[in-house]
Amino acid sequence: MLHHFNMNILFTILLAVTTACFYVPELKHRGSIIVASCMAMAMLYHFLMNRPCKVYLVNFACFKPSVACLCSKETLLDRAKRVGFLSDENYKLVTKILDRSGLGPWTYVPEGLLAIPPKLTLDEARKETDTVLFGAVDELLAKTGIEAKDIGILVVNCCLFNPTPSLSDSIINRYKLRGNILAYNLSGMGCSAGVLAVDFAKQLLQAHPNSYALVLSTENEISSMYWGNNPSMLLVNCLFRMGGSAALLSSHPSDRSRAKYQLLHTLRTHVGADDNSYSCVFQEEDEENKVGVSLSKELMNVARDALKVHITSLGPLVLPLSEKIKFLSNLFERKVLKTKIESYMPNFKLSFQHFCIHTGGRAVLDRMQKSLELEDWHMEPSRMTLYRFGNTSSSSVWYELAYCEAKGRVKKGDRVWQMAFGSGFKCNTAVWLALNTVEAASCSSAWRDEIANFPVKIEPLPVKTKK
């Protein structure tokens, strides 16, 4: 509103000056210079006012559940046996999956799932989500010193738990956020929604300069558990764990001096037009009408193909000139000249110092490391997050960034690549620039009490031999 008001004033002045130059003889000789100067000023002003404002990450927080939520693999199997819903064959399958999953001996699940019998009520599901989100927001507000009334934009994402009132309504009620807040609740967007929410918040911040956006990401374990015997639906029970994150984004220019990162790029790729891609992660009922999320055998191939499409758009934004030339040359040969050669995978290690790849599972991380030709050091944040916290869905990329900080790896000028895959099928990216060196000792995060214990050595999976 103010921008349009200022533009109207400027053009009114320009019109008045032009009219005066035409009717006042003394100004005729200088008229062209005055009009040209005014027009140049108007164009410069219009350019500056329409340039997208920069978006900063002031700080973020990852929730660490209490000791009461700690769960070992043995406890998980014990609870499954006590409930008695698994067949003997599927009990052995779940045991095998847990042994090969990449998860460590201790992760976190809601207290309701540890109870005997498990508490699966709506109240327990609400309690889980409130515990996670309130804990993350409390820590974030303490870190930043921002008052809740200063937050103008709220984006909450949770894929499978969507009560009424919404989760964003719950946050507004808890922290007494202002009445004109722009509040959004994203659902059903899968594990990539954490990065997607950052892109959404960025667009809102650029449309509303000098604002703060609170971005919350979580998944609800109680509502997403599957209590049937379809093998394709049991993987979710084995990998997903309790967790969540809160991030404070700002479009205030004055926040650059204290912000941790500047958001350089966001990119979203959706390959859902293809039937296999659309259905590879699908919530449905099994043969006994029990609801679960099935993962198809095509998932890894879909993720691979989505990555190829994604980097075709990402490469020109982030790669150095030498890599752009190699990539475009290879693309030209394959698409135009129809030469039968393998597609060229750019060296993204030249563009990024830190990689935060969604902890979709050990197999997903193995495939991403191979496809992107990354070293073990680059994959360490993802593998250690999977080991310690499991797959926390859309918030996993924040636990990974927290790991990089807690290890003292993030230096001023470093670039961070957050990438996540999700149902639909989607591949989303956020690229961050570190504005300052993050001192490990100053980090208050979910890793703070145990970072010295990492990394841990994870034994490779046995190689299958053909009989």
Side-chain angles (χ1 to χ4, degrees):
M1 182 75 72
L2 182 62
H3 164 60
H4 292 301
F5 179 70
N6 290 336
M7 288 298 296
N8 288 335
I9 292 178
L10 191 61
F11 283 111
T12 300
I13 295 174
L14 179 61
L15 180 62
V17 171
T18 305
T19 303
C21 292
F22 183 79
Y23 286 106
V24 180
E26 291 80 1
L27 297 178
K28 282 186 177 181
H29 298 293
R30 301 178 184 176
S32 59
I33 298 176
I34 295 174
V35 172
S37 299
C38 289
M39 291 183 66
M41 290 173 59
M43 292 174 65
L44 178 61
Y45 179 85
H46 183 72
F47 169 76
L48 293 175
M49 292 301 295
N50 283 276
R51 186 175 56 179
C53 59
K54 295 179 179 179
V55 174
Y56 303 102
L57 173 61
V58 180
N59 215 322
F60 67 98
C62 298
F63 178 71
K64 186 174 184 178
S66 67
V67 177
C69 296
L70 272 175
C71 178
S72 66
K73 293 180 181 178
E74 292 73 22
T75 302
L76 197 67
L77 291 170
D78 175 72
R79 295 300 185 272
K81 182 177 290 187
R82 286 172 181 265
V83 174
F85 70 95
L86 287 176
S87 64
D88 291 341
E89 183 179 355
N90 279 336
Y91 182 85
K92 294 178 181 178
L93 174 63
V94 168
T95 303
K96 182 179 179 181
I97 292 173
L98 287 173
D99 289 339
R100 300 166 62 92
S101 64
L103 274 69
W106 294 96
T107 50
Y108 297 98
V109 300
E111 291 183 65
L113 289 181
L114 294 175
I116 303 174
K119 299 177 181 178
L120 307 176
T121 64
L122 179 61
D123 284 344
E124 280 295 321
R126 280 188 182 275
K127 178 183 176 182
E128 176 195 344
T129 300
D130 287 349
T131 300
V132 172
L133 293 183
F134 294 167
V137 174
D138 288 346
E139 182 179 339
L140 180 64
L141 294 179
K143 283 182 175 181
T144 61
I146 293 293
E147 294 187 24
K149 65 180 179 62
D150 295 327
I151 298 171
I153 299 168
L154 173 64
V155 181
V156 181
N157 76 80
C158 182
C159 183
L160 296 176
F161 181 58
N162 302 288
T164 299
S166 68
L167 300 182
S168 59
D169 295 333
S170 177
I171 297 297
I172 291 171
N173 177 260
R174 165 80 173 192
Y175 296 96
K176 310 306 177 189
L177 302 184
R178 64 199 202 196
N180 65 341
I181 190 169
L182 301 177
Y184 301 89
N185 204 88
L186 307 181
S187 64
M189 303 298 285
C191 297
S192 67
V195 180
L196 185 152
V198 168
D199 173 70
F200 185 35
K202 179 194 78 171
Q203 296 185 48
L204 291 170
L205 285 169
Q206 290 178 338
H208 302 274
N210 298 309
S211 299
Y212 286 111
L214 179 61
V215 180
L216 308 181
S217 299
T218 190
E219 188 52 84
N220 188 276
E221 294 306 292
I222 289 178
S223 63
S224 62
M225 286 292 289
Y226 169 62
W227 302 97
N229 273 283
N230 187 321
S232 68
M233 296 180 173
L234 289 172
L235 191 61
V236 172
N237 293 4
C238 299
L239 295 179
F240 282 77
R241 294 294 185 270
M242 182 183 185
S245 64
L248 184 69
L249 306 185
S250 171
S251 57
H252 289 272
S254 60
D255 277 325
R256 179 183 172 84
S257 59
R258 67 166 183 149
K260 281 188 170 183
Y261 304 91
Q262 178 184 334
L263 184 58
L264 297 182
H265 306 288
T266 54
L267 182 66
R268 294 162 58 177
T269 298
H270 204 307
V271 293
D274 175 73
D275 290 342
N276 285 335
S277 301
Y278 172 73
S279 59
C280 69
V281 181
F282 209 86
Q283 186 181 30
E284 58 186 347
E285 295 174 330
D286 66 8
E287 298 80 4
E288 298 177 351
N289 295 323
K290 294 179 180 179
V291 177
V293 177
S294 65
L295 305 179
S296 78
K297 295 180 180 179
E298 291 297 315
L299 176 59
M300 298 306 299
N301 293 331
V302 169
R304 178 200 62 202
D305 295 340
L307 178 64
K308 289 180 180 179
V309 176
H310 191 69
I311 64 173
T312 301
S313 300
L314 179 65
L317 296 176
V318 301
L319 290 172
L321 181 60
S322 59
E323 287 297 302
K324 290 179 182 178
I325 292 173
K326 292 177 183 178
F327 181 73
L328 291 175
S329 175
N330 177 271
L331 187 66
F332 179 80
E333 288 188 48
R334 289 187 296 108
K335 299 297 183 181
V336 179
L337 301 182
K338 305 298 181 182
T339 306
K340 293 183 178 180
I341 58 174
E342 290 187 7
S343 58
Y344 175 71
M345 176 56 68
N347 185 2
F348 283 101
K349 297 187 291 290
L350 299 176
S351 301
F352 306 110
Q353 287 71 45
H354 310 285
F355 296 78
C356 299
I357 300 173
H358 167 59
T359 56
R362 185 173 185 171
V364 173
L365 295 181
D366 288 345
R367 176 63 66 90
M368 290 302 105
Q369 181 171 5
K370 182 179 179 180
S371 297
L372 295 171
E373 300 176 3
L374 300 178
E375 306 296 332
D376 290 343
W377 188 88
H378 297 115
M379 296 299 297
E380 185 181 307
S382 297
R383 293 195 186 279
M384 293 305 102
T385 297
L386 179 64
Y387 182 90
R388 181 61 187 88
F389 294 98
N391 183 344
T392 60
S393 190
S394 56
S395 64
S396 68
V397 292
W398 295 106
Y399 285 87
E400 293 161 5
L401 182 54
Y403 181 91
C404 295
E405 291 187 348
K407 278 293 182 182
R409 295 181 176 182
V410 181
K411 311 299 181 185
K412 182 178 181 179
D414 284 358
R415 294 193 177 199
V416 180
W417 182 10
Q418 286 182 324
M419 180 176 65
F421 297 91
S423 58
F425 192 82
K426 299 178 284 293
C427 180
N428 299 328
T429 278
V431 178
W432 301 95
L433 172 68
L435 299 178
N436 296 288
T437 296
V438 180
E439 300 295 339
S442 66
C443 291
S444 175
S445 72
W447 298 94
R448 56 184 171 268
D449 300 325
E450 50 188 304
I451 190 62
N453 301 328
F454 293 91
V456 298
K457 184 178 180 180
I458 301 177
E459 295 297 329
L461 294 174
V463 179
K464 292 182 179 180
T465 57
K466 294 181 179 180
K467 294 182 180 180

